[in-house]
Amino acid sequence: MADGTRSVRGGSPASSPVLGGGGRATAVAAAGVSSPPGHGFRRVTLTKPTFCHYCTDFIWGLAGYQCEVCNFMSHEKCLKNIKIPCSCVAPSLVRVPVAHCFGSPGHYKRKFCTVCRKSLESPALRCEVCELHVHTDCILFACSDCRQCHQDGHQDHDTYHHHWREGNLSSSARCEVCRKTCGSSEVLSGMRCEWCGILAHAACYVIVTPECTFGRLRNMILPPSCVQLFSRNFSKLHCFRVTENLQTEPDEDDDVDGSTQGSTKDVQISTDSSKQMLKIFDGNDAVKRNQFRLISVPRIAKNEEVVEAALRAYYINDDEQEYELQTFTQQALLSDDVINRNDAVEDSNLSSVFRESVPEAWIIRAKPKDEEVIRIYPAWLKVGMAYVSLRVNKDSTTQTVVKEVLPLLGKQVIQRMVLDNQELILNRLKDIRKTSIRQMNQTRFYIVENNKSIVRVNLLVGGLPPQLSREEYTNILKAELAIKTNVVSVSHVYQAQGAVVLEISCFSEAERIYMLVKDTTVNDKPLNVVVIPEVVASKIPQNCCPVLVFVNPKSGGLKGRDLLYSFRKLLNPHQVFELTNGGPLPGFHTFCKVPSFRVLVCGGDGTVGWVLGALEEIRHKLACSEPSVAILPLGTGNDLGRVLRWGAGYSGEDPYSILVSVDEADDVLMDRWTILLDADEPAEGAENGVAEPEPPKIVQMNNYCGLGIDAELSLDFHHAREEEPGKFNSRFHNKGVYVKVGLQKISHTRNLHKDIKLQVDQQEVELPSIEGLIFINIPSWGSGADLWGSDSDNRFEKPRIDDGLLEVVGVTGVVHMGQVQGGFRSGIRIAQGSYFRVTLLKPIPVQVDGEPWIQAPGRIIISAAGPKMRHVLRKTVQPSDLNFLPSIEIFRQCCLPQGRPQL
């Protein structure tokens, strides 16, 4: 280290005034700390093109300065300006640590690890809530500084500051302060606020106003101060309803976890005989878990040199004189009695620790002390300091520490502490030191106000039998889950969906129920459970209309997964719901008290119908009973998305631009329709020969309802997708399957007009010779085809989505359907009305909004739902779109005249 400099971030024990001065307690300011950020720089020789992590410029010459701990690379001229803290001290600078929500390992191109600052070339981890990427073996050293997206009963602040995240910006990113490029594809550089999204250089972000207003999407974001969630005993994956995917299977000969396997990333196995690889364990906990880090040191080295290398491997930048190495033996796995090699003689540190018989595994421990310096953080108390440094000895207890700290914080009230008042602080520190020196390095003591918060955990349990009473659901839960009624109560009942919301006042009971539900079935149907946050409607700003986002991750060629991550990052994760995890009900229940909100559905027409159907069933329980609905089309047909100008399908547009379009969209009305299915034939599989007819079934229709050949093709496609779901991951393949099943039916003849009877507004309608009958509510069918046509007809009114009328159209077969989709022909106009009665004389395929089935003989009644209109969001036409519309109309007039040839 002769050529480098070592400096420690202000407020850390190594640089605290307490250690070098006579004062017993010192308060450290929360802002304005100008001390170096804890890096240990040394001069290195550059052997390949290298860029500065501070200014992102190329480092000319053969020398640069690199941090020995976090690999931060810098020009010599930039050293004095660096404000980014080293990975070893970053955790101590966070007032309220918030754990990250890491999903499954994946491959992320052109991204950098925020711990070691190296490129993510191997499978890495990504936080599902914020823009943080780490290697699998760096996850243990990642700073717990994720976004605080909810309150857990202790915070009382409503003002939010920028939440800065370093690096992984695009090369075109521009600084909000100087308007120059601040992103880089070569190094981890630049800063981005996780809430409002503003970008800045590492040198510029410190002069940005600290208060964050959530940026352009402020009216769409659910403020964290409005969300309450008691998340203790639950992982972040459970709190944010992130699906836990299967991890990558390890090799058969691997017997250690990811942190051990990946620990060789930074240490290459060298053939140099002067080097030796050592396994370093961090305390008893690492020994029990068999987790170690590898270091490479010379065979002729002194104790302090090896200790320093071991501390760097665990991202600890303390004085190596305060730590020691102990030999690791096989008995250490079974006992805590580990031989302390450094206790032999006083000058043993000056001798070489490497001889022929020296073991290859060591344990690093902190040397015992008679006194310690601890930090007392004021938690969520509104005081103007980050923490208080206090010296404690063997006689210091919790009560004495509280009495000494409170005057420094300006508080004279009695505090409630988790530790017992007579508990000896030094003994607690000794226990933590034995467990892990990194845990000791990260240990915090918080002092909080004596506010008794009521524990209230809400779990939504679904999959129960529908249409039961509250008492019947309670009895089922008692029998299957053995719930304790003194701490568990049923707060909400959703009979139509077969779901209940449990309010639990005990953390351990909530955890037990959550884990037990996943392995429980009722009537051979598995139950599902979701952790539900509570939205405090009274704290929502008046001009805030948050958007509730539903995403079907199986739609859109599996692009739904990327959209889930993007929307969680741009919005509050508590307003983004994955439909494969409990359906739409958890989202609507979370927003049931929000006075005004909008809905964004990301999926195909079937997904949109699913969400709109659930909204119809639960709307009477919502404070906002008629939320406007926007669509991000991810399916194959996407007819409703086309009509509302959201496009033919998602093709990778910027999610931020999509949210802005939703905010600027126009609120329009669309007819809603109810279909009553009343079958005459009994249900199959009746017992004892006694057959009972199926009960009437009610479904909601938004786009269209088809009978005959149209529904038959949809049914064949549905069966093909169920057999091989993995192949249906692109619109091109899906449409190819539609063409294939259509060609198989091209010679099929079905006299549908002989198998059904139609009444329109109480009037019998004679059907022509057709194979398919379609009721359309929107001017788009079969991936954008105009089935009704644009020709004028005095018998019928011009169709609109809000005219209270349905159009009835017939098709003569597969060839006719192909001609309609090609724009060469339209369907056969049959009728237009508001009340329809169809009598089925035999089983016939039926499909509603792309969901097909075989309907038994009986009656189908289609009528307007109450209320008759639904609010939807239509994308606002941009000026560029207006310039393009006249050319489209000219093309239609020239190529598709009034008198179309009949093929």
Side-chain angles (χ1 to χ4, degrees):
M1 295 264 319
D3 297 332
T5 59
R6 178 177 298 276
S7 57
V8 183
R9 179 76 171 185
S12 63
S15 63
S16 174
V18 179
L19 293 180
R24 177 170 171 79
T26 304
V28 181
V33 178
S34 59
S35 303
H39 293 285
F41 286 104
R42 63 184 178 91
R43 185 182 178 91
V44 295
T45 301
L46 304 180
T47 58
K48 60 182 180 179
T50 307
F51 294 82
C52 176
H53 292 193
Y54 176 76
C55 66
T56 71
D57 291 340
F58 185 77
I59 300 180
W60 297 95
L62 299 178
Y65 287 83
Q66 184 182 35
C67 176
E68 294 181 307
V69 179
C70 69
N71 302 310
F72 193 105
M73 185 65 67
S74 172
H75 292 102
E76 183 178 6
K77 63 180 181 179
C78 295
L79 288 176
K80 61 182 179 180
N81 299 322
I82 295 176
K83 301 297 182 182
I84 303 299
C86 180
S87 300
C88 63
V89 300
S92 64
L93 304 179
V94 181
R95 171 178 288 190
V96 182
V98 179
H100 291 284
C101 181
F102 291 108
S104 303
H107 294 272
Y108 305 104
K109 298 180 180 179
R110 296 182 295 276
K111 299 293 184 181
F112 296 90
C113 176
T114 57
V115 176
C116 67
R117 310 184 71 87
K118 295 186 177 181
S119 178
L120 300 180
E121 299 176 353
S122 58
L125 296 170
R126 177 184 69 182
C127 178
E128 295 291 331
V129 177
C130 66
E131 189 74 17
L132 183 131
H133 297 76
V134 293
H135 292 103
T136 54
D137 61 315
C138 292
I139 186 174
L140 296 177
F141 312 106
C143 179
S144 297
D145 61 344
C146 192
R147 286 191 297 167
Q148 181 71 46
C149 300
H150 59 263
Q151 300 186 16
D152 61 0
H154 296 288
Q155 306 101 311
D156 58 352
H157 56 83
D158 296 329
T159 302
Y160 281 84
H161 291 179
H162 291 295
H163 191 102
W164 296 106
R165 174 73 61 218
E166 182 189 12
N168 291 319
L169 307 180
S170 65
S171 301
S172 59
R174 291 196 172 275
C175 177
E176 187 77 12
V177 179
C178 65
R179 309 308 302 173
K180 296 181 180 180
T181 302
C182 61
S184 173
S185 59
E186 302 293 339
V187 293
L188 187 73
S189 64
M191 307 296 290
R192 176 184 180 274
C193 175
E194 297 284 5
W195 283 113
C196 66
I198 66 170
L199 309 174
H201 289 100
C204 297
Y205 87 100
V206 293
I207 63 177
V208 176
T209 304
E211 287 77 15
C212 179
T213 60
F214 298 133
R216 170 65 180 82
L217 304 178
R218 67 178 67 89
N219 294 332
M220 307 181 71
I221 294 178
L222 188 65
S225 60
C226 305
V227 185
Q228 289 187 352
L229 178 64
F230 295 85
S231 56
R232 203 178 81 184
N233 292 29
F234 291 100
S235 71
K236 282 303 183 72
L237 295 176
H238 298 157
C239 294
F240 295 120
R241 304 163 304 280
V242 178
T243 302
E244 302 177 56
N245 298 325
L246 294 177
Q247 304 289 331
T248 305
E249 294 184 3
D251 297 333
E252 293 181 359
D253 55 348
D254 289 340
D255 58 352
V256 293
D257 68 348
S259 62
T260 302
Q261 298 173 33
S263 59
T264 60
K265 171 176 64 69
D266 296 326
V267 183
Q268 301 295 330
I269 304 299
S270 175
T271 57
D272 188 357
S273 59
S274 64
K275 298 284 186 177
Q276 182 174 352
M277 301 295 298
L278 292 181
K279 295 180 180 179
I280 304 297
F281 291 87
D282 176 16
N284 299 346
D285 186 63
V287 172
K288 294 177 181 178
R289 298 174 181 270
N290 195 26
Q291 295 177 340
F292 56 86
R293 303 280 289 180
L294 293 178
I295 63 173
S296 176
V297 294
R299 291 186 177 274
I300 305 300
K302 296 182 179 180
N303 280 347
E304 59 268 19
E305 296 175 351
V306 183
V307 171
E308 182 180 0
L311 291 176
R312 286 201 303 266
Y314 282 98
Y315 292 88
I316 298 176
N317 203 15
D318 289 348
D319 184 3
E320 59 270 12
Q321 298 296 331
E322 299 179 1
Y323 298 87
E324 62 186 4
L325 289 174
Q326 296 179 349
T327 56
F328 173 81
T329 62
Q330 293 296 327
Q331 289 78 11
L333 289 174
L334 303 176
S335 172
D336 289 338
D337 183 16
V338 183
I339 301 175
N340 186 350
R341 187 177 181 276
N342 293 324
D343 287 343
V345 291
E346 184 177 353
D347 60 348
S348 61
N349 288 335
L350 302 178
S351 63
S352 171
V353 300
F354 293 107
R355 301 185 179 90
E356 295 298 329
S357 60
V358 170
E360 296 182 354
W362 297 75
I363 303 176
I364 186 169
R365 297 189 184 277
K367 293 180 180 179
K369 297 180 180 180
D370 294 332
E371 291 185 334
E372 292 275 6
V373 175
I374 65 174
R375 302 175 186 174
I376 309 296
Y377 289 77
W380 294 276
L381 297 177
K382 295 181 179 179
V383 294
M385 56 189 67
Y387 58 83
V388 171
S389 295
L390 184 69
R391 187 183 298 276
V392 296
N393 53 36
K394 61 181 181 179
D395 298 325
S396 300
T397 64
T398 300
Q399 187 175 17
T400 59
V401 169
V402 170
K403 289 182 178 180
E404 193 164 354
V405 170
L406 286 180
L408 297 175
L409 298 177
K411 294 284 181 176
Q412 300 297 331
V413 296
I414 298 176
Q415 304 291 328
R416 179 182 62 87
M417 306 299 295
V418 176
L419 301 178
D420 184 77
N421 284 341
Q422 303 305 320
E423 183 168 356
L424 296 175
I425 300 296
L426 201 59
N427 291 344
R428 174 61 66 96
L429 290 176
K430 289 180 180 179
D431 294 338
I432 299 174
R433 183 187 299 114
K434 291 180 180 179
T435 303
S436 166
I437 61 170
R438 180 165 178 83
Q439 288 187 25
M440 181 194 70
N441 189 265
Q442 305 257 323
T443 295
R444 295 182 172 200
F445 292 87
Y446 281 97
I447 184 167
V448 298
E449 292 179 341
N450 189 17
N451 294 329
K452 294 183 179 180
S453 58
I454 301 176
V455 176
R456 186 169 59 250
V457 181
N458 295 318
L459 299 181
L460 190 148
V461 180
L464 297 167
Q467 305 301 336
L468 299 181
S469 64
R470 183 187 298 265
E471 291 75 15
E472 290 173 319
Y473 284 126
T474 303
N475 293 334
I476 291 177
L477 296 176
K478 286 181 179 179
E480 300 292 339
L481 306 178
I483 63 173
K484 303 175 182 178
T485 55
N486 60 325
V487 294
V488 181
S489 61
V490 178
S491 61
H492 295 79
V493 175
Y494 296 98
Q495 296 177 324
Q497 294 80 12
V500 297
V501 177
L502 301 181
E503 186 175 294
I504 309 171
S505 58
C506 175
F507 284 120
S508 59
E509 178 68 4
E511 182 184 20
R512 185 189 69 84
I513 293 176
Y514 185 90
M515 302 306 297
L516 188 60
V517 167
K518 293 187 174 183
D519 299 325
T520 303
T521 58
V522 176
N523 296 341
D524 297 327
K525 183 178 179 181
L527 301 182
N528 57 79
V529 61
V530 180
V531 180
I532 298 294
E534 180 180 354
V535 178
V536 183
S538 59
K539 292 187 177 182
I540 299 178
Q542 293 183 353
N543 58 346
C544 180
C545 183
V547 59
L548 173 60
V549 181
F550 293 106
V551 181
N552 187 348
K554 297 182 179 179
S555 299
L558 304 181
K559 293 179 181 178
R561 294 273 177 206
D562 295 333
L563 285 172
L564 271 172
Y565 169 71
S566 298
F567 286 135
R568 287 191 183 116
K569 184 180 68 173
L570 293 170
L571 303 171
N572 191 322
H574 289 300
Q575 60 188 113
V576 182
F577 290 80
E578 183 178 348
L579 287 173
T580 56
N581 189 8
L585 184 59
F588 285 127
H589 174 78
T590 301
F591 275 59
C592 65
K593 297 180 181 179
V594 178
S596 176
F597 67 93
R598 288 165 289 186
V599 178
L600 173 61
V601 183
C602 307
D605 288 335
T607 301
V608 175
W610 182 17
V611 174
L612 293 180
L615 175 60
E616 183 66 22
E617 294 176 343
I618 198 179
R619 53 183 297 274
H620 63 282
K621 295 187 178 182
L622 301 178
C624 177
S625 60
E626 290 292 337
S628 301
V629 180
I631 298 170
L632 179 58
L634 298 182
T636 303
N638 304 316
D639 291 292
L640 186 55
R642 297 170 190 263
V643 172
L644 298 177
R645 299 174 182 167
W646 294 105
Y650 176 71
S651 56
E653 293 84 0
D654 182 17
Y656 176 82
S657 301
I658 294 173
L659 292 176
V660 172
S661 298
V662 172
D663 192 36
E664 298 175 348
D666 298 325
D667 192 324
V668 298
L669 297 176
M670 186 181 73
D671 296 330
R672 70 173 91 199
W673 300 88
T674 298
I675 301 179
L676 174 65
L677 305 169
D678 188 6
D680 291 335
E681 286 191 358
E684 297 181 0
E687 299 180 0
N688 302 325
V690 179
E692 295 183 0
E694 293 182 352
K697 180 182 179 182
I698 297 178
V699 297
Q700 303 295 324
M701 187 193 81
N702 303 294
N703 302 347
Y704 39 71
C705 171
L707 293 81
I709 185 63
D710 169 53
E712 192 171 348
L713 296 182
S714 297
L715 188 62
D716 290 345
F717 174 84
H718 180 72
H719 289 160
R721 183 168 56 182
E722 284 187 337
E723 291 177 359
E724 296 178 302
K727 294 184 177 181
F728 291 77
N729 54 10
S730 70
R731 296 189 188 95
F732 182 79
H733 178 270
N734 295 354
K735 292 183 178 180
V737 175
Y738 264 118
V739 173
K740 179 180 178 180
V741 297
L743 293 175
Q744 294 173 351
K745 303 287 185 180
I746 198 169
S747 60
H748 176 76
T749 302
R750 175 190 290 273
N751 296 320
L752 184 66
H753 59 286
K754 297 181 180 180
D755 300 330
I756 65 174
K757 294 181 180 180
L758 174 64
Q759 287 184 359
V760 179
D761 294 334
Q762 308 297 330
Q763 300 293 326
E764 292 284 345
V765 176
E766 184 178 355
L767 296 175
S769 178
I770 57 176
E771 291 190 23
L773 185 68
I774 304 170
F775 301 84
I776 55 177
N777 185 41
I778 60 176
S780 180
W781 167 87
S783 299
D786 187 2
L787 190 59
W788 183 260
S790 58
D791 298 343
S792 61
D793 193 333
N794 296 329
R795 299 177 301 165
F796 306 108
E797 298 181 12
K798 184 178 180 180
R800 300 196 319 269
I801 64 174
D802 60 347
D803 57 2
L805 299 174
L806 281 180
E807 288 70 46
V808 185
V809 184
V811 292
T812 59
V814 175
V815 176
H816 188 185
M817 293 171 61
Q819 293 169 346
V820 171
Q821 291 185 333
F824 301 106
R825 190 177 175 185
S826 60
I828 302 174
R829 297 178 179 178
I830 296 176
Q832 190 180 51
S834 60
Y835 181 85
F836 306 88
R837 182 186 180 95
V838 183
T839 302
L840 307 184
L841 305 179
K842 59 184 298 186
I844 292 178
V846 176
Q847 67 99 357
V848 176
D849 293 341
E851 300 299 322
W853 70 89
I854 299 294
Q855 180 63 28
R859 288 160 298 281
I860 299 178
I861 298 176
I862 306 177
S863 61
K868 298 181 180 180
M869 297 293 181
R870 171 180 284 117
H871 291 262
V872 292
L873 292 174
R874 182 172 60 193
K875 187 177 182 180
T876 304
V877 178
Q878 302 298 327
S880 58
D881 300 329
L882 291 175
N883 296 333
F884 184 65
L885 287 178
S887 60
I888 296 178
E889 187 62 28
I890 293 174
F891 173 81
R892 291 179 61 87
Q893 292 178 1
C894 295
C895 301
L896 301 175
Q898 293 283 336
R900 297 182 182 179
Q902 297 295 319
L903 301 180

